[in-house]
Amino acid sequence: MTTTLQEFRVLGDHRGQLVALEVNRQIPFEIKRVYYIFDTKEGVERGFHAHVNLKQIAIAVKGSCTFVLDDGKKREEIKLDNPNKGLFIEGLIWREMKDFSSDCVLVVLASEHYDESDYIRDYSKFLETVK
Ligand code: TYD
């Protein structure tokens, strides 16, 4: 299991900023799905699941939010607060998302189509699976 916070190169000039992401360069998997979470209500926490096979990169392209990542032994918090940051998550990691700013747009690039059978939504089952 791996989680990595990457910093993408920003191609900026006097007009503004641009980030380009390419498969097999910044994105270490074929992208099969893109989804985004926005208009998250104040105080809401989301996620509360792990994936068996999925690889994902999460980017707060606007605003900010915090990921809580749990590998079954320790928990860490990673704040996404800049469109140049990408959080790569692979393998059995329990994830929760919180502290969404009201303007947050969280884009997620995923290696597989949506598949409910890839989810572990029960924390005790996650702990059983990960050990
Ligand atoms: P949910 O898993 O609750 O979101 P999160 O855990 O990231 O906060 O997903 C909300 C709903 O959207 C749920 O009915 C499943 C559906 N969904 C899809 O249909 N496709 C997707 O790619 C995702 C991520 C969710």
Side-chain angles (χ1 to χ4, degrees):
M1 65 190 91
T2 316
T3 60
T4 319
L5 187 63
Q6 309 181 37
E7 204 164 298
F8 303 128
R9 192 153 74 100
V10 179
L11 306 167
D13 60 25
H14 65 281
R15 298 168 299 173
Q17 315 297 332
L18 184 154
V19 171
L21 304 176
E22 298 186 3
V23 170
N24 293 333
R25 294 196 174 149
Q26 299 85 355
I27 312 299
F29 52 81
E30 295 290 331
I31 298 167
K32 287 206 185 146
R33 176 166 55 110
V34 175
Y35 63 92
Y36 35 98
I37 293 172
F38 60 100
D39 197 20
T40 306
K41 305 306 176 204
E42 205 181 332
V44 162
E45 300 190 353
R46 305 193 59 136
F48 296 90
H49 62 254
H51 285 283
V52 180
N53 282 316
L54 193 66
K55 298 174 190 168
Q56 295 190 300
I57 291 188
I59 305 157
V61 294
K62 189 167 174 63
S64 63
C65 65
T66 297
F67 270 73
V68 179
L69 301 170
D70 179 338
D71 65 4
K73 295 196 181 86
K74 58 183 182 347
R75 287 166 89 84
E76 66 171 326
E77 295 201 359
I78 294 184
K79 186 165 188 185
L80 295 181
D81 56 3
N82 191 307
N84 75 352
K85 286 187 190 173
L87 176 62
F88 174 66
I89 308 174
E90 174 181 30
L92 275 173
I93 301 281
W94 182 265
R95 78 279 316 255
E96 300 167 9
M97 293 101 83
K98 63 179 187 178
D99 297 341
F100 287 85
S101 62
S102 58
D103 63 346
C104 182
V105 181
L106 180 68
V107 174
V108 182
L109 314 176
S111 64
E112 304 297 336
H113 293 154
Y114 177 71
D115 174 10
E116 188 58 38
S117 71
D118 190 62
Y119 281 75
I120 302 174
R121 293 190 183 272
D122 181 273
Y123 188 69
S124 47
K125 186 177 167 209
F126 163 72
L127 289 179
E128 274 300 304
T129 312
V130 83
K131 76 177 183 197

